[in-house]
Amino acid sequence: MKKLIIILLAIIIIVIIAIVFLWINPLKSPPTGTCKDLITNPGDKKINIVYLTDNVDEKEIKNFTDFFLEKKPFSSNKEKFNFYYAGKANCTLIEDYVLCYSRATIRQSSICPNNYIIVLTNQTSEVRSSAYINLISININSPYEVFLHEFGHSFANLADEYTPSNIPRGSQNCNKQCPVYGNMQPCFLGCSKENYYRSTENSVMRTLDTDNFGELNNLLIQKNLDKYA
């Protein structure tokens, strides 16, 4: 009898451990659907951008892509980009930001080649977009310029040029001294930190009232674009 009780207790403990494990590490559901080619260019060394949508009509993808490819320095590097659509995603709000980064979103994006993941989500206009690692969460009710701003963060490690904000490690567009970059002039005080300098009075890294990155930021972006064929 005692042996039977020990066996039953052991079984109960194993079941409890299994339930806890599955609760902490849920079974991974496989991605669904197939990758949809939107714009592809010949060659292997491309910047692969995959879109997902959260309560957004797929036609918005074309609107954002067309806007993106019309702006410098991307307009002269169109052949370096491929664009794909991988299906649906779910986003969450963190204070006044939207964040679409999750294991499920990463898994779903994997059905397409991807260097950068763009999730278009439909939020109220006061909700801000965000960039985390290589995933960009875009509120479609923000100006299109937000795409440029967030892509600048992910692609070229550009810091915010408004204040206050944090300067990412290795970022080169906010500097302690002026001139900012070689002989480039003028420069302006206030770039993420009050005592750092930026190279333009108003770039898209500072305000969404412009679609211009500015000379220094264009150079930093182009430096990364030159890695692709």
Side-chain angles (χ1 to χ4, degrees):
M1 186 69 178
K2 185 176 180 181
K3 186 177 179 180
L4 179 60
I5 293 173
I6 292 173
I7 292 173
L8 289 174
L9 286 174
I11 293 172
I12 292 170
I13 291 171
I14 291 171
V15 170
I16 292 173
I17 291 173
I19 292 171
V20 171
F21 178 82
L22 289 174
W23 182 75
I24 297 174
N25 300 283
L27 293 175
K28 295 181 179 179
S29 58
T32 59
T34 57
C35 182
K36 182 177 180 180
D37 294 357
L38 302 177
I39 299 174
T40 56
N41 287 289
D44 297 327
K45 201 171 183 181
K46 303 298 176 185
I47 305 164
N48 296 307
I49 294 179
V50 58
Y51 285 99
L52 295 98
T53 53
D54 173 36
N55 195 28
V56 171
D57 193 301
E58 285 185 45
K59 69 181 181 181
E60 288 291 346
I61 295 174
K62 184 177 188 307
N63 295 336
F64 276 88
T65 303
D66 289 349
F67 176 84
F68 177 80
L69 292 176
E70 289 171 357
K71 306 306 174 185
K72 296 180 180 179
F74 311 115
S75 56
S76 57
N77 293 273
K78 294 180 181 180
E79 75 286 353
K80 298 181 179 181
F81 289 90
N82 291 330
F83 295 87
Y84 304 93
Y85 178 62
K88 305 297 182 181
N90 292 311
C91 302
T92 58
L93 296 182
I94 301 177
E95 296 181 349
D96 61 340
Y97 285 86
V98 63
L99 181 66
C100 306
Y101 190 95
S102 68
R103 284 184 293 179
T105 299
I106 299 301
R107 285 198 298 273
Q108 185 60 37
S109 69
S110 69
I111 68 173
C112 296
N114 67 82
N115 302 108
Y116 297 91
I117 303 165
I118 313 293
V119 181
L120 300 182
T121 179
N122 189 356
Q123 306 291 333
T124 56
S125 59
E126 66 270 14
V127 174
R128 301 176 67 179
S129 302
S130 67
Y132 179 69
I133 312 176
N134 70 329
L135 190 146
I136 300 171
S137 309
I138 300 291
N139 180 6
I140 64 166
N141 293 307
S142 298
Y144 284 152
E145 285 79 7
V146 74
F147 190 168
L148 302 178
H149 179 96
E150 301 300 345
F151 193 76
H153 284 315
S154 288
F155 185 72
N157 197 32
L158 298 181
D160 291 319
E161 295 183 355
Y162 56 79
T163 60
S165 189
N166 296 318
I167 300 178
R169 181 178 297 181
S171 180
Q172 299 180 56
N173 61 314
C174 292
N175 292 266
K176 290 183 178 180
Q177 296 180 340
C178 184
V180 175
Y181 193 86
N183 295 321
M184 193 177 295
Q185 290 285 354
C187 64
F188 303 86
L189 191 60
C191 190
S192 282
K193 299 182 182 298
E194 295 292 345
N195 58 338
Y196 274 60
Y197 290 91
R198 63 188 189 275
S199 62
T200 61
E201 185 173 9
N202 286 306
S203 82
V204 74
M205 298 309 298
R206 181 175 175 83
T207 173
L208 299 181
D209 290 335
T210 179
D211 58 19
N212 184 10
F213 277 102
E215 187 178 356
L216 172 59
N217 293 336
N218 279 332
L219 287 172
L220 295 173
I221 294 171
Q222 188 63 53
K223 184 178 179 180
N224 278 358
L225 288 170
D226 289 342
K227 299 174 184 177
Y228 298 88

